[in-house]
Amino acid sequence: MPSRESYKVHKDDKSLVQKAKREANQEDILAAALGMRMGPQKPPATFWQPLKLFAYSQLTSLVRRATLKESDRAPRSEKVHNFKVHTFRGPHWCEHCASFMWGLMAQGVKCADCGLNVHKQCSSLVPNDCKPDLRHIRKVYSCDLTTLVKAYNTARPMVVDMCIREIESRGLKSEGLYRVSGFSDSVEEVKMAFDKAGEKTDISVNAYEDINIITGALKLYLRDLPVPIISYDAYPRFIEAAKLTDPEKKLEAFHEALALLPPSHSETLKYLMAHLKRVTQNEKFNLMNAENLAIVFGPTLMRAPNLDAMTALNDIRYQRQVVEVLIKNEDVLF
């Protein structure tokens, strides 16, 4: 009967033979992958070691990339490029495919927000990762909200922040706040000042004593947005939520609708609703409750997307209800 020691030696020898076979098979596979033809006399072990290390590192990298979640490899961007047909002076190359852009006029398209230059046919292939540059931002009013926020690297548009700070510092008790209109020429003057000077614009009491001019400038900014604060994509969900009668289901529906807003829109709406809530807390002075403010801000914050005139008219009352719910439940919804 064989001893325990001889059994162990036999087992070790068997393991070494199996390991040698595995390594030989690995070498054959590696040789095939590299397109090498193996003769009867194989290269020495020192030849295979660096190749094995290289193959292992490449395989590890491939496995790591393959196991990444889709969201990790291609994060969703919130800003698409704003491409416009452009005529370039001098030779230009496409920044997507690196090919020459032929022609004397309208050779390609240029992003009006970040300056990216590409062929027209390449524009649909470019990732939605626009990073707006202040050099390309011509104005503040009528500029897309997300574009402005990204260009200035702020949480909200500076117009909203500056106007609300000024209103809260000296206007919360002003009678008819937001309902009373400021002198239109002065409101237009504030608009042009923001377009020209941006955050350096002076809207203090020394420049504009009437607080209604500042409220008018804020309302004008919100009305002039190409995409309203409550975006076109989220609009139907907000209208549906406003039609619900059950209080719990209504708040739940509003939560779901708010989740559809782009981050910059959501942050701006949150800041604005907190401000309007503070306005209502001074109702005994300014006579502006949530319902009155909703009448003012309903059509300002929401616009019906491509609906017929009759449907848009019917939606006006629901727009008011949406804003009223947002103001009254600001602490719960945001």
Side-chain angles (χ1 to χ4, degrees):
M1 186 173 182
S3 66
R4 182 177 298 177
E5 287 76 11
S6 62
Y7 175 77
K8 184 178 179 182
V9 170
H10 177 70
K11 185 178 180 182
D12 290 343
D13 290 342
K14 189 176 180 181
S15 297
L16 289 172
V17 171
Q18 289 175 344
K19 182 179 179 182
K21 285 183 178 179
R22 281 200 304 271
E23 290 182 352
N25 288 336
Q26 288 173 356
E27 290 167 3
D28 289 339
I29 293 169
L30 186 57
L34 294 172
M36 296 171 57
R37 292 185 179 181
M38 301 296 292
Q41 183 152 3
K42 294 186 178 182
T46 54
F47 171 82
W48 291 108
Q49 193 60 29
L51 288 177
K52 285 181 180 180
L53 290 173
F54 171 75
Y56 177 75
S57 67
Q58 293 299 303
L59 182 61
T60 303
S61 177
L62 286 170
V63 171
R64 185 168 59 250
R65 288 201 296 269
T67 54
L68 283 173
K69 293 181 180 178
E70 187 65 28
S71 58
D72 293 333
R73 286 191 287 128
R76 289 191 307 164
S77 174
E78 59 188 79
K79 179 71 178 78
V80 298
H81 290 279
N82 181 20
F83 286 120
K84 307 286 185 185
V85 175
H86 191 77
T87 296
F88 299 96
R89 294 181 181 179
H92 265 76
W93 281 261
C94 175
E95 294 180 45
H96 176 70
C97 69
S99 298
F100 187 71
M101 300 171 80
W102 297 97
L104 297 175
M105 296 180 66
Q107 304 98 321
V109 293
K110 182 186 186 79
C111 178
D113 298 334
C114 71
L116 183 72
N117 306 317
V118 295
H119 289 114
K120 186 176 181 180
Q121 62 269 27
C122 290
S123 62
S124 60
L125 306 174
V126 175
N128 295 331
D129 58 355
C130 180
K131 296 176 178 60
D133 191 325
L134 277 176
R135 291 175 299 174
H136 301 284
I137 305 300
R138 306 282 182 200
K139 54 189 177 181
V140 171
Y141 277 66
S142 302
C143 178
D144 174 69
L145 191 151
T146 299
T147 299
L148 191 69
V149 163
K150 280 183 166 288
Y152 279 89
N153 194 27
T154 56
R156 296 170 300 274
M158 101 283 285
V159 178
V160 175
D161 276 9
M162 290 175 63
C163 286
I164 286 179
R165 281 199 302 266
E166 193 64 29
I167 293 164
E168 294 198 349
S169 69
R170 60 185 174 100
L172 284 180
K173 295 182 179 181
S174 177
E175 187 174 328
L177 189 67
Y178 286 113
R179 189 180 66 232
V180 177
S181 300
F183 189 48
S184 59
D185 285 356
S186 297
V187 172
E188 192 66 25
E189 188 179 288
V190 173
K191 171 186 174 179
M192 290 189 293
F194 271 116
D195 282 341
K196 184 179 180 180
E199 55 198 355
K200 295 180 181 178
T201 303
D202 182 11
I203 56 172
S204 67
V205 66
N206 297 325
Y208 301 99
E209 187 177 353
D210 184 4
I211 197 64
N212 297 312
I213 293 171
I214 310 305
T215 60
L218 176 58
K219 289 187 292 182
L220 180 60
Y221 171 77
L222 297 173
R223 282 199 304 271
D224 279 359
L225 286 173
V227 178
I229 295 290
I230 293 179
S231 62
Y232 294 123
D233 290 340
Y235 180 93
R237 295 292 291 273
F238 277 96
I239 296 297
E240 290 170 12
K243 293 177 180 179
L244 297 175
T245 54
D246 183 272
E248 288 187 12
K249 289 182 179 179
K250 176 173 281 195
L251 286 180
E252 185 179 346
F254 266 87
H255 271 295
E256 293 173 357
L258 285 167
L260 299 176
L261 295 177
S264 55
H265 287 240
S266 179
E267 182 62 33
T268 304
L269 184 63
K270 175 184 176 181
Y271 189 71
L272 180 62
M273 290 303 110
H275 163 64
L276 295 182
K277 186 72 171 284
R278 288 189 287 273
V279 173
T280 64
Q281 291 167 354
N282 288 273
E283 182 189 350
K284 66 178 181 179
F285 303 106
N286 58 41
L287 308 180
M288 296 298 289
N289 57 25
E291 185 179 356
N292 291 336
L293 289 170
I295 292 171
V296 174
F297 280 94
T300 302
L301 300 180
M302 304 179 71
R303 294 198 293 273
N306 303 320
L307 298 179
D308 60 87
M310 188 56 67
T311 306
L313 192 63
N314 290 333
D315 278 0
I316 289 177
R317 61 179 175 140
Y318 295 115
Q319 292 173 358
R320 176 186 60 76
Q321 290 176 27
V322 166
V323 177
E324 188 175 349
V325 169
L326 290 174
I327 295 173
K328 288 181 174 179
N329 299 277
E330 171 268 332
D331 55 337
V332 176
L333 291 171
F334 296 98

